[in-house]
C-alpha cells in the first residue's frame, strides 16, 4: 500500500508511539484525581507531554491544553474570542472546522486573500480587511487542500498592529513547520496530535496565549467545591477524564518529530510534492503548485472521486472531493470539481511518488482521467 | 497516596497550588534547583475548595517559595505541619 493521505491522518506511527500507548493502558489511572501510584503515574505522564509539547511549541506547560482533535481546539478558541455578530477576518483557505463554528455563532465572516501561493495578495487583502474593523481573525497556517503555506508571522503582526486577537489553525503545519506560540503572539493555536505529530487519533493540542472559555463543563480534579469552572489553565478547558494513552503516544510522536526536525521533514515532503506535481502536469492534468507549498498537492481530473477510487484499487491511497474546505475550493475555482489530494509525511520518498505517477499514467493511457 | 499521620516531629512544609499542573511545574522547578520535594494530594484541611495537590518539603519552605516566585510558578499557600498534626499557615 502507498499511503498518501497524511493530511487526513498519519499512518505507520513510530514504534515508540505504540509502546507508549500500551504502557499507559497498562499503568495509568485517572490523572489529577486520586493520589495513589497509578493516578500519580498518569499525572506525571500527562505533565511530561505538556512539558515536551510546551518546549517544542514555545509555550509554558500549563498553556498546553489537551483536546480530542484540532477541531475541538478551534471550537474552544473561536467560542472564546467570537461573539454573535462579530466581524471575523479569515483567509480564503479555511477548513469547515473554522467556518462552521463561525457560522453557528452568526459571525460576519470577512474572507481575505483568495489567490493561491501569493503572499502579497494574502497580506494586502488581510490588512485591508483588518483595517475595516474586526473583532477577531482566524487563519490557517497551511491549506489542507492545496498545501499553501500562509505568511502567518506577518498576518500575526498585522493583527497585533490592528489590535485584533487571532487564532491559528496549525492542523497541517504542526510537525513540519515552525510553530511557536510566543514568537507568533497568537491568542490560540490549535493542532491535531494525529497528523504531523504522529500521535494517536483522538488527540490534539490547543496552545493558549489567552484565557479560554470552557466548551465542556465538568470535573477537573481542582476546586471541586466550586461550581464555576476553574479560572486557570489548563483545567478551564480540560473537564472530564483525559485521553491518557493518547497523550502518552502523542508525546512519543512529538519526540520522534523533534528528533527528525520539522525542517528536514518539510524538505522531504516538499521535494516529493514538486516531483509529483511535475509528473502530474506532464500528464496534462491541472495541478496546483507554487511557492510556499507544504507536503500537500491537489490536482483535477475529469472525475476526481473516480480517480481516487481507481488509485485505491491499485493500493494508492489519496483523498478526493472538497476535503471539508469548500471555501478553499471556492477560492481556487475547484468547488464544482473538487480535487484529488496527495499528501506526504516524514517518510516521503521517490518510490511513493513513482507509484502514484505510474498509477496515473496507466489511467491516462486508458483514458480514464 | 502519601500519608499524613506522622506526628512528633516538626514539619513538613506543604505548599499548595491551584491545580495539579502547576504543582507539577513547581516540582520540576524545585528538583532542577536541587530542592527535594514530593508531589502529594494535600490534606483536606489545606484544600478549602476541595481536591488539591501540592508539594511536601522538609522544612525548606522559604527557599522553595523564593524559587517558585522567581520561576513564575503561581502557588496558593504554604503550611507547616505541627507536631500535634495541625497546620499553621506560613508567610513565605
Amino acid at each position: 500500500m502507498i499511503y498518501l493521505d497524511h493530511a487526513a491522518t498519519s499512518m505507520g506511527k513510530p514504534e515508540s508511539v505504540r509502546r507508549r500507548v500500551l504502557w499507559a493502558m497498562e499503568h495509568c489511572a485517572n490523572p489529577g484525581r486520586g493520589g495513589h501510584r497509578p493516578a500519580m503515574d498518569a499525572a506525571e505522564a500527562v505533565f511530561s507531554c505538556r512539558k515536551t509539547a510546551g518546549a517544542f511549541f514555545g509555550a509554558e506547560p500549563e498553556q498546553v491544553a489537551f483536546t480530542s482533535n484540532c477541531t475541538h481546539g478551534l471550537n474552544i478558541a473561536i467560542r472564546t474570542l467570537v461573539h454573535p455578530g462579530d466581524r471575523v477576518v479569515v483567509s480564503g483557505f479555511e477548513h469547515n472546522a473554522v467556518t462552521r463554528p463561525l457560522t453557528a455563532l452568526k459571525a460576519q465572516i470577512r474572507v481575505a486573500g483568495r489567490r493561491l501561493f501569493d503572499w502579497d495578495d494574502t497580506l494586502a487583502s488581510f490588512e485591508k480587511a483588518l483595517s475595516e474593523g474586526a473583532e477577531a481573525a482566524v487563519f490557517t497556517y497551511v491549506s489542507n487542500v492545496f498545501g499553501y503555506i500562509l505568511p502567518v508571522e506577518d498576518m500575526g503582526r498585522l493583527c497585533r498592529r490592528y489590535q485584533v486577537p487571532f487564532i491559528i489553525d496549525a492542523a497541517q503545519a504542526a510537525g513540519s513547520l515552525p510553530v511557536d506560540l510566543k514568537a507568533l503572539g497568537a491568542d490560540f493555536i490549535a493542532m491535531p496530535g494525529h497528523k504531523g505529530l504522529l500521535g494517536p487519533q483522538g488527540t490534539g493540542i490547543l496552545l493558549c496565549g489567552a484565557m479560554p472559555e470552557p466548551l465542556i463543563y465538568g470535573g477537573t480534579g481542582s476546586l471541586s467545591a466550586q461550581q464555576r469552572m476553574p479560572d486557570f489553565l489548563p483545567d478551564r478547558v480540560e473537564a472530564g477524564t483525559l485521553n491518557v494513552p493518547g497523550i502518552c503516544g502523542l508525546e512519543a510522536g512529538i519526540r520522534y518529530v523533534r528528533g527528525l526536525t520539522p525542517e528536514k521533514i518539510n524538505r522531504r515532503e516538499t521535494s516529493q510534492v514538486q516531483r509529483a506535481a511535475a509528473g502530474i502536469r506532464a500528464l496534462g492534468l491541472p495541478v496546483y503548485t507554487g511557492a510556499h507549498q507544504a507536503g500537500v498537492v491537489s490536482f483535477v481530473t475529469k472525475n476526481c472521486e473516480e480517480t481516487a477510487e481507481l488509485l485505491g484499487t491499485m493500493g494508492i491511497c489519496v483523498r478526493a472531493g472538497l476535503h471539508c474546505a469548500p471555501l478553499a475550493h471556492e477560492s481556487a475555482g475547484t468547488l464544482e470539481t473538487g480535487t484529488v489530494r496527495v499528501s506526504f509525511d516524514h517518510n516521503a520518498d521517490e518510490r511513493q511518488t513513482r507509484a502514484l505517477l505510474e498509477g496515473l499514467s496507466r489511467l491516462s493511457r486508458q483514458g480514464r482521467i | 497516596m502519601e500519608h499524613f499521620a506522622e506526628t512528633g516531629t516538626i514539619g513538613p512544609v506543604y505548599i499548595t497550588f491551584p491545580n495539579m499542573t502547576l504543582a507539577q511545574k513547581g516540582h520540576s522547578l524545585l528538583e532542577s534547583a536541587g530542592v527535594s520535594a514530593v508531589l502529594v494530594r494535600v490534606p483536606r484541611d489545606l484544600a478549602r475548595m476541595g481536591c488539591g495537590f501540592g508539594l511536601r518539603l522538609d522544612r525548606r519552605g522559604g527557599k522553595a517559595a523564593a524559587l517558585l516566585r522567581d520561576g513564575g510558578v503561581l502557588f496558593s499557600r504554604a503550611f507547616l505541619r505541627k507536631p500535634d498534626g495541625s497546620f499553621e499557615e506560613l508567610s513565605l
Side-chain angles (χ1 to χ4, degrees), chain A residues 105-246:
Chain A
L105 281 165
K106 296 185 169 52
Q108 300 177 53
I109 301 173
R110 309 274 169 89
V111 180
R114 285 181 174 270
R115 290 174 61 175
L116 270 172
F117 309 116
D118 186 339
W119 279 16
D120 290 340
D121 173 68
T122 300
L123 289 171
S125 303
F126 195 69
E127 178 161 19
K128 182 170 183 294
L130 291 175
S131 70
E132 289 167 357
E135 279 70 48
V138 192
F139 44 92
T140 189
Y141 197 141
V142 175
S143 163
N144 71 307
V145 181
F146 300 102
Y148 172 32
I149 303 169
L150 278 74
V152 291
E153 283 181 33
D154 289 334
M155 293 168 85
R157 241 189 304 278
L158 287 172
C159 286
R160 287 194 294 278
R161 186 189 302 165
Y162 287 93
Q163 298 185 314
V164 174
F166 65 102
I167 300 162
I168 297 176
D169 172 1
Q172 303 297 336
S176 59
L177 290 167
V179 178
D180 189 302
L181 180 68
K182 284 191 192 80
L184 290 166
D187 290 79
F188 298 100
I189 301 176
M191 63 186 74
H194 63 99
K195 295 185 180 180
L197 297 180
L198 308 179
Q201 292 180 15
T203 60
I205 287 174
L206 179 66
L207 301 174
C208 300
M211 186 59 71
E213 287 301 318
L215 188 66
I216 298 172
Y217 294 75
T220 57
S222 54
L223 303 185
S224 295
Q226 171 183 297
Q227 287 306 295
R228 294 189 314 279
M229 285 294 283
D231 59 358
F232 42 74
L233 290 169
D235 304 37
R236 190 160 175 77
V237 286
E238 286 188 351
T241 300
L242 291 172
N243 174 7
V244 178

Side-chain angles (χ1 to χ4, degrees), chain A residues 19-29 38 41 245:
Chain A
R19 275 202 310 271
R20 197 69 180 137
V21 170
L22 187 61
W23 175 87
M25 290 174 71
E26 290 171 346
H27 293 89
C28 290
D41 284 347

